[in-house]
Amino acid sequence: QTMTTHYPDLTLQPDPQFPQPQLMSALMAKLHRALVQRGSGDIGISFPHYVQTCKPTLGATLRLHGTDAALRELMAQDWLRGMRELVEPAQNGAPLPVPPGARALCVQRRQFDTSIDRLRRRRMLRKGETPEQAEAALPQPTAQRQALPHVHLRSTSTGQSYCLHIDQTPVPVACDSGQFNTYGLSHGRTVPLV
């Protein structure tokens, strides 16, 4: 298994028409499609400005992790089409080397009881609401409320909207075995904290 030795940052620029969480959802959807097409499981992600307390947010920067070759190959593809004016890749997307001694970070998906998600999807279909409107109308029961940042995505196979909750935690030991899924997340493999 190859190590995640490099990283480029993709930072969303402010847009008066769309809130930053909506833009991050769109960016994640495009990355997901690119990683499905790539099919390698060798690119991970993290969020340098991730906040889990008070107002959970992923921030405006998506960091990709992988080998220099894998990242250059991904960035050479046209997966950012339609968002190029909204995304500013640091160093024009050229991957930077991970500094020696970087700590490890586990970035994984967390899934919760989906019955409330089903009710929200039905409401969105019936009332033509956005995911945010349905979430406000049908909040998570207090006992199940999870203060985790998330993105709203739409399944390409079913067309249904869903929340991808992301748990990002520093861990004491790096793990380079295993693969990243098509969201760039992994339950076992870590990425460097840079």
Side-chain angles (χ1 to χ4, degrees), residues 51-66:
V51 175
Q52 192 174 325
T53 55
C54 300
K55 282 187 76 175
T57 179
L58 295 172
T61 301
L62 172 64
R63 180 169 288 162
L64 305 175
H65 297 272

Side-chain angles (χ1 to χ4, degrees), residues 14 28 47 71 95 103 125 173 176-177:
M28 281 289 294
F47 300 90
L71 292 166
R103 293 176 49 216
L125 288 172
V173 180
D176 282 318
S177 63

Side-chain angles (χ1 to χ4, degrees), residues 34 49-50 73-74 76 79 98 104 106 123 135 138 160 172 175 194:
H49 307 292
Y50 180 94
E73 189 179 296
L74 176 70
W79 66 277
V98 171
C106 185
R123 182 182 175 96
E135 192 173 343
L138 295 171
Q160 291 186 326
C175 175
V194 284

Side-chain angles (χ1 to χ4, degrees), residues 116-130:
I116 192 75
D117 293 330
R118 277 197 298 278
L119 292 172
R120 287 177 185 155
R121 283 195 300 269
R122 287 181 56 202
R123 182 182 175 96
M124 286 163 46
L125 288 172
R126 275 196 336 267
K127 298 187 178 269
E129 293 180 342
T130 66

